[in-house]
Amino acid sequence: MNKVAVVVAVVLAASPAFAISRLSPLKMTCEQARAAVHNQGAVIFRWTSPRGLPLYDRFVRDSRFCDANQYAEWKRIPTRDEPSCPVLFCENLNRLDGDFIIPDNSL
């Protein structure tokens, strides 16, 4: 019983480390959005498309914040001051179409 209590305590203590910020890029400038990703390592941006659909994705500082079968690739999102702000998100390696060089992008 004591071992179970210790395991539960460790898991609960570590759970804040898995927290990830959820932000709206439309309330930020491009520079603020890029700084949030850089400072936190990974964030979730959520916004509404021009057609009214909710869009969201996880954006990262570099490939170290992606899974082992992914790499950081550029994607453009809307922000308060720019309709096309470049940030990085995790892309699957199979999208490289046979390239042997994995991009080493960093924000």
Side-chain angles (χ1 to χ4, degrees):
M1 185 66 172
N2 287 338
K3 290 180 182 178
V4 172
V6 170
V7 170
V8 170
V10 169
V11 169
L12 290 176
S15 63
F18 296 115
I20 184 168
S21 296
R22 289 163 177 81
L23 307 170
S24 171
L26 297 175
K27 295 180 180 177
M28 311 169 101
T29 65
C30 182
E31 183 177 330
Q32 290 171 331
R34 290 170 54 93
V37 174
H38 179 76
N39 293 337
Q40 296 182 37
V43 300
I44 294 175
F45 283 133
R46 185 170 191 258
W47 67 97
T48 304
S49 75
R51 294 178 21 189
L53 300 172
L55 301 173
Y56 63 92
D57 209 339
R58 182 175 176 268
F59 296 89
V60 296
R61 181 185 323 154
D62 55 44
S63 294
R64 292 178 301 159
F65 292 90
C66 298
D67 289 339
N69 63 339
Q70 296 178 325
Y71 68 99
E73 184 59 80
W74 293 104
K75 183 174 186 177
R76 297 186 171 272
I77 62 169
T79 57
R80 186 177 69 210
D81 63 338
E82 290 187 34
S84 183
C85 179
V87 289
L88 293 169
F89 78 112
C90 295
E91 183 72 77
N92 287 327
L93 287 173
N94 61 6
R95 301 281 304 216
L96 289 174
D97 295 329
D99 290 343
F100 294 108
I101 299 173
I102 299 172
D104 187 25
N105 299 320
S106 182
L107 188 61

